[in-house]
Amino acid sequence: MLGKPRFSEYKTMDVTSILADLNDAQRQAVTSEHQELLVLAGAGSGKTRVLVHRMAWLMELSGANYAQILAVTFTNKASREMRERVLSLQGNRDDGARMQPGHSSWIGTFHSLCHRFLRQHHTLTGLNADFQILDGEDQLRLLKRLHKELGIEETELAPALSRWFISRQKDQGLRPHESREKDSDVQPRLIEVYQRYEEICRKSNVIDFGEILLRTCELLEQNPDLLKYYQNRFEHILVDEFQDTNDVQHRWIKLLHHPKHTLTLVGDDDQSIYGWRGARVEHIRQFNRDFPEGEIIRLEQNYRSTQVILEAANHIIGHNQDRLGKNLWTAGAKGEPIQVYGGFNEVDEARFVASHIERLQQENINYDEIAILYRSNAQSRVLEDALIQKNVPYKIYGGVRFFERAEIKSALAYLRLICSRDDDAALDRIINFPTRGIGDKTLDLIRQIMRDRGISMWKACCILIESKELAGRSHSSLNQFFNLLDNLEEECKGKSLDRQIEITLQRSGLLTAYQSERGEKAQTRIENLQELVSAGKAHEQEFYSDVTNETDHAFEALRNFLDDVGLEFSENEKDSRTTVQLMTMHAAKGLEFAVVYLTGMENGLFPSAASIQDPIKMEEERRLCYVGITRARQKLVMTYAEQRRIYGEYRMHTRSKFLNELPDGYIEEIRLNGTLRRPVSWNSQSSISFERPNYHDSDLEINQDPESSTPEFRVGQTVHHEIFGEGMIIAKEGRGERARLQIRFKRVGDKWLLAGVAPLKASPVFSN
Ligand code: ATP
Ligand code: MG
C-alpha cells in the first residue's frame, strides 16, 4: 500500500481534471493504493488514458516532480503526446511539481531512455563520450565484412541471419557465452560471429539497438550505488503496452522499481504482436508471481469503436486458445456493417480503396482520420499509385523512413564524422561518396590495416597517409578527404544546427552530386536533403530554446540530433494532419482512426504463409488482426485480391480465413460491379446484446486509514467549500483523507475533490 500522502499545498485540492472523464474502473486504477498495479484490458478501453491520468494523480498525491517519474511509451510520438496530456491535466499551475517541457523528463521509449542513460554514464561502460548507434543497415554491412574475414560463405550463413541471431540474444539479455550455455544446439559459427561482432563494436565505439538496453541493465547490476540512486529517484514508474516487452526490458523495469515506490503497467495480452522480436506476453502472466501484493484491474468498456467493429474483434480473437480471456463491451452506437471487397488483383484492390476514400470526402471525413493498413510494407507501392491517380494526399508512416533514405543516411554520415572520426560505419559509407578517387584497392588496404592492428578505419587511413604507401593520385585523394572533414568541422563550429547541416550538404559535394543527376528521383532526394535542414531547425527549437549554456560542447545540439534520428524507429510525421496514413498493422498499435482499411486479407499474406502451419504463429497473426480491427472508430473496410503479384509473379490467393471468422450478418460484401449485398435483416438501430459486466461497489472500497482524522462524508450530504460554495456529494470513493468526493456545486458544477485536504465542511442546508 502507498504511504501517507504528501499532499501539495493547493487551497482547493481540486482534482477534477484528473478524475473526471473516467469510468469507475478507470478511476479505481488511477487512484489505486497498491504499490504495483497492472491494468489488463482490451483495445480502446482507456489504458493509455489511465496511464496518463495516474501519472498526474501520483504527482499530485506524492508531490513528486517530473524528474521523479519514469514513463515508457511505445513510440517517440506517444511520449510527446503523453507529456502534453499530463501538462494539460495539471492545468496552469506553476510550482515545482509541474511537468516541464523540454528534454529533461524521463518519458520516452525503452531505447531513447536507456540511450540517454548510457550517454550520461558512458565512462562506466567503457564507451567513449562520442559513441555512435549502429542501425540495422550499418549492422548488416559490418556483419558482411566480418563474415568475409571469418571465411564464412553466404550459403553457409547469411549475414542477415547472424544479425537476427545477435538481436534475439540481446533481447533475451544473453552474451555469447551465455547463449552457448543456454542452448547447446546453437550453431557454433553463430556464437563465433556474435563474439567477434562484439569485439569489433567495442573497438569502434559503437553499439546497436539491442546493446543499448542490455548494456544499461548490466551497468545497473554492476554498480549498486548507481542502481540505488535511480531506484530512489524514480518514485513512479509507468509502462504502456507492457505486453510487448522483451526479457531485457522487463529486467530493466524490475531493476529500477524500488519496493517502496509505485509501478504501473498497462497492457493487453490480446495485442501482443512482437513475439518475433523477442517480446514475451508471459511478463503479463507472471505479474502475480513478480509482485504478490500487486493489484490487477481490468477495464472492459470500450470507448473507441462501434458495436459492430467491437463484436467483430471479439469474435476473431475468441478463436485463440492462449488468452487470459476478457470481453469488451460498448455503450456506443451499433454502427455500419463491415464492408468487404474482393478485387481481381492488387491493382483493382488499390483502386477500390482510393475511390472509396474519394467518396468519403462527401461525408466530410478528413484525410488524417483515415488509415490504410497492410501486413507487409511491399503492399504500399500499388496503393500509393492508386492514391496519386485520385489525387488523394497520403503519407507513409514507418515505410522507407525518412531517416533511412539513402541520401539522408549519407548526409548523416558526414555529420556523424564531424562528431567522431572513429565512426567506422559512417566513414565506410561516404569515404568515396560522392566519388573522389578513393578506389577499391585503397579501401582493401585500409581494411587490412584495420584488421591487423585492431584500430578504427579513420586511424588506418592516417597510417596509410603517413606511410606514403599509396600511389600519388590515391594519396592525394585521401589527403583531400581528410582536409574536407577538418574544414567541415572548423566551419560548423558554433553555428546553429540547421546551418551546420546546410554547410555539410554543400561542402561534402552531396547537393552538387544530386543536382547533376536528372530526373524525378534526384529531385526528390534534393527535397529530402532540404527537409533535413528543416528537421535540424525544428529540433533545435524544440530542445534548445529553453536550455541556455547547458553545455559548452560545440556539437552538443548536433550530437543530440543524431541520437534522436537514430532512435526514431517508425515516425515520419511530416504533414500527417492532412493526409491519409499508410502503415503496417504493427506500426498502428495504440493509434485510432475514424476509418480503417485492412488490405491484403488473403491466406498466405495475412495470415502470412509462414504462420499458416504453425499454431503459435497463427495466434500472433490473429492478435495482429485484432489490433488492426480495433484501430477503427466508425468504419471498417476489409479488402483482398484474388491474384497478387509477389516478387514479380502472379499468385492466386484465397480470401483470408480471418474474414471467415467474422460473425455472421455483420458483413456487407461489395461486388466488382459496385452492388452491395447487405446482411439479411440489417437494422442499424437494433442493438446487439452486449452485457455490461457488474462492478460491485465493494470493488471500489479502499481500506480506511485508522490514523485519519478526516470526517467521513456520505453521498447525498450537503457541504460547504471555502471557494466553490455550497454543493451536494453525488459520489464517493475510498475513505478517510484519501477519499475522493464528487460534488455538485451550485455555482461551479461537478468537481472531484480530495476529502483529506479540500476545505470542506458539512453544511446543514442545500437549497435548489
Ligand atoms: P489500445 O489498446 O488500442 O492502446 P487503450 O486501451 O490505450 O487502447 P485509449 O487510447 O486510452 O485506449 O482510449 C481509447 C479511446 O477512448 C480514446 O479516444 C480515449 O480518449 C477514449 N476514452 C477512454 N476512456 C474514456 C472515458 N472514460 N470517457 C470518454 N472517452 C474515453
Ligand atoms: Mg493505448
Side-chain angles (χ1 to χ4, degrees), residues 261-307:
H261 292 161
T262 77
L263 177 64
T264 304
L265 310 169
V266 312
D268 176 7
D269 57 311
D270 288 333
Q271 294 187 69
S272 164
I273 54 173
Y274 281 96
W276 55 280
R277 234 168 56 177
R280 296 207 314 128
V281 73
E282 284 74 15
H283 298 146
I284 284 202
R285 301 201 173 117
Q286 73 190 53
F287 177 80
N288 276 81
R289 234 181 312 133
D290 285 342
F291 309 107
E293 304 287 313
E295 184 182 28
I296 299 182
I297 293 183
R298 291 168 185 262
L299 312 173
E300 297 196 325
Q301 182 172 2
N302 171 293
Y303 287 90
R304 181 180 290 149
S305 310
T306 62
Q307 291 184 11

Side-chain angles (χ1 to χ4, degrees), residues 402-417:
F402 181 75
F403 290 109
E404 283 186 5
R405 292 177 188 158
E407 63 280 12
I408 298 299
K409 291 198 68 168
S410 299
L412 293 175
Y414 278 97
L415 294 165
R416 279 160 59 175
L417 286 166

Side-chain angles (χ1 to χ4, degrees), residues 49-50 92 118 280 415 436 445 451 455 585 729:
R49 177 181 278 228
V50 162
N92 297 321
L118 285 184
R280 296 207 314 128
L415 294 165
R436 53 174 67 89
L445 214 64
R451 270 199 299 276
I455 52 177
M585 292 184 212
I729 299 177

Side-chain angles (χ1 to χ4, degrees), residues 44 46-49 240-241 266 271 304 589-591 631:
K47 293 182 295 298
T48 303
R49 177 181 278 228
D240 200 1
E241 307 279 2
V266 312
Q271 294 187 69
R304 181 180 290 149
K589 198 168 71 152
L591 306 177
R631 297 310 96 198

Side-chain angles (χ1 to χ4, degrees), residues 374-415:
Y374 35 77
R375 177 68 182 84
S376 136
N377 267 316
Q379 286 170 255
S380 81
R381 197 188 54 77
V382 177
L383 289 162
E384 288 180 66
D385 282 350
L387 293 172
I388 291 168
Q389 275 181 18
K390 291 277 180 199
N391 272 329
V392 174
Y394 69 90
K395 184 187 80 94
I396 302 214
Y397 184 100
V400 179
R401 291 160 297 216
F402 181 75
F403 290 109
E404 283 186 5
R405 292 177 188 158
E407 63 280 12
I408 298 299
K409 291 198 68 168
S410 299
L412 293 175
Y414 278 97
L415 294 165

Side-chain angles (χ1 to χ4, degrees), residues 251-493:
R251 181 164 141 195
W252 182 63
I253 294 291
K254 282 184 69 180
L255 268 172
L256 284 178
H257 169 54
H258 187 287
K260 287 218 160 87
H261 292 161
T262 77
L263 177 64
T264 304
L265 310 169
V266 312
D268 176 7
D269 57 311
D270 288 333
Q271 294 187 69
S272 164
I273 54 173
Y274 281 96
W276 55 280
R277 234 168 56 177
R280 296 207 314 128
V281 73
E282 284 74 15
H283 298 146
I284 284 202
R285 301 201 173 117
Q286 73 190 53
F287 177 80
N288 276 81
R289 234 181 312 133
D290 285 342
F291 309 107
E293 304 287 313
E295 184 182 28
I296 299 182
I297 293 183
R298 291 168 185 262
L299 312 173
E300 297 196 325
Q301 182 172 2
N302 171 293
Y303 287 90
R304 181 180 290 149
S305 310
T306 62
Q307 291 184 11
V308 166
I309 293 170
L310 205 55
E311 182 73 345
N314 282 342
H315 234 82
I316 284 197
I317 200 66
H319 284 79
N320 272 8
Q321 306 292 320
D322 192 17
R323 303 178 64 203
L324 291 172
K326 55 188 135 50
N327 237 3
L328 286 175
W329 64 277
T330 174
K334 181 180 177 185
E336 301 170 19
I338 296 164
Q339 296 194 318
V340 174
Y341 177 79
F344 61 86
N345 63 16
E346 77 279 15
V347 176
D348 181 43
E349 178 197 33
R351 285 191 186 141
F352 165 79
V353 172
S355 319
H356 200 269
I357 291 177
E358 204 181 24
R359 277 202 301 277
L360 287 181
Q361 297 317 292
Q362 290 151 17
E363 296 177 32
N364 280 335
I365 297 182
N366 288 341
Y367 285 135
D368 59 332
E369 279 290 2
I370 300 172
I372 306 176
L373 309 185
Y374 35 77
R375 177 68 182 84
S376 136
N377 267 316
Q379 286 170 255
S380 81
R381 197 188 54 77
V382 177
L383 289 162
E384 288 180 66
D385 282 350
L387 293 172
I388 291 168
Q389 275 181 18
K390 291 277 180 199
N391 272 329
V392 174
Y394 69 90
K395 184 187 80 94
I396 302 214
Y397 184 100
V400 179
R401 291 160 297 216
F402 181 75
F403 290 109
E404 283 186 5
R405 292 177 188 158
E407 63 280 12
I408 298 299
K409 291 198 68 168
S410 299
L412 293 175
Y414 278 97
L415 294 165
R416 279 160 59 175
L417 286 166
I418 293 180
C419 294
S420 162
R421 301 284 202 280
D422 288 324
D423 187 335
D424 288 346
L427 188 59
D428 201 31
R429 185 177 186 98
I430 51 90
I431 187 163
N432 196 35
F433 185 76
T435 340
R436 53 174 67 89
I438 303 176
D440 283 348
K441 257 188 168 164
T442 312
L443 288 173
D444 279 347
L445 214 64
I446 294 170
R447 290 190 185 121
Q448 187 66 44
I449 300 175
M450 276 173 81
R451 270 199 299 276
D452 292 349
R453 306 206 182 186
I455 52 177
S456 73
M457 193 171 188
W458 176 257
K459 296 205 174 85
C461 292
C462 294
I463 290 176
L464 208 52
I465 289 180
E466 275 163 27
S467 69
K468 302 218 165 67
E469 214 175 296
L470 287 174
R473 207 172 97 77
S474 303
H475 178 86
S476 77
S477 303
L478 199 57
N479 218 359
Q480 275 172 18
F481 176 60
F482 264 50
N483 292 339
L484 167 72
L485 289 185
D486 286 347
N487 292 343
L488 255 182
E489 182 179 344
E490 204 44 48
E491 260 192 82
C492 286
K493 218 173 249 170

Side-chain angles (χ1 to χ4, degrees), residues 94-276:
D94 198 16
D95 71 320
R98 193 168 172 261
M99 164 94 63
Q100 301 197 343
H103 63 321
S104 336
S105 57
W106 285 74
I107 302 177
T109 61
F110 278 107
H111 283 94
S112 66
L113 294 168
C114 290
H115 175 244
R116 178 159 152 205
F117 174 86
L118 285 184
R119 281 260 175 250
Q120 284 184 8
H121 302 288
H122 68 88
T123 42
L124 293 172
T125 67
L127 286 163
N128 293 338
D130 52 5
F131 72 85
Q132 297 291 326
I133 302 171
L134 281 188
D135 66 12
E137 205 190 300
D138 296 333
Q139 231 180 332
L140 205 57
R141 201 169 316 123
L142 193 159
L143 282 163
K144 273 186 191 153
R145 272 209 322 267
L146 197 156
H147 278 209
K148 210 168 153 193
E149 177 196 317
L150 295 176
I152 301 173
E153 295 292 330
E154 176 93 26
T155 45
E156 184 192 346
L157 181 62
L161 183 65
S162 292
R163 179 177 62 175
W164 176 85
F165 174 78
I166 292 171
S167 303
R168 288 299 72 76
Q169 300 309 298
K170 291 192 178 180
D171 288 344
Q172 295 173 64
L174 301 173
R175 293 292 181 197
H177 68 278
E178 293 164 320
S179 312
R180 201 183 301 118
E181 280 160 22
K182 188 153 184 244
D183 180 3
S184 51
D185 286 343
V186 63
Q187 240 198 71
R189 273 304 220 187
L190 280 171
I191 303 277
E192 189 186 353
V193 171
Y194 184 13
Q195 210 146 17
R196 180 78 186 112
Y197 171 83
E198 287 215 308
E199 282 166 26
I200 297 181
C201 288
R202 208 171 307 124
K203 271 193 197 130
S204 332
N205 198 33
V206 291
I207 56 175
D208 60 36
F209 287 133
E211 184 71 23
I212 295 177
L213 285 143
L214 180 52
R215 191 75 71 99
T216 301
C217 282
E218 289 174 349
L219 190 63
L220 287 168
E221 283 157 352
Q222 290 155 12
N223 293 278
D225 288 345
L226 192 67
L227 178 62
K228 215 158 148 197
Y229 166 80
Y230 279 102
Q231 283 180 335
N232 285 334
R233 170 179 174 161
F234 293 130
E235 285 194 22
H236 308 295
I237 299 181
L238 306 101
V239 185
D240 200 1
E241 307 279 2
F242 183 63
Q243 76 279 0
D244 274 325
T245 46
N246 63 31
D247 284 347
V248 72
Q249 291 164 341
H250 186 238
R251 181 164 141 195
W252 182 63
I253 294 291
K254 282 184 69 180
L255 268 172
L256 284 178
H257 169 54
H258 187 287
K260 287 218 160 87
H261 292 161
T262 77
L263 177 64
T264 304
L265 310 169
V266 312
D268 176 7
D269 57 311
D270 288 333
Q271 294 187 69
S272 164
I273 54 173
Y274 281 96
W276 55 280

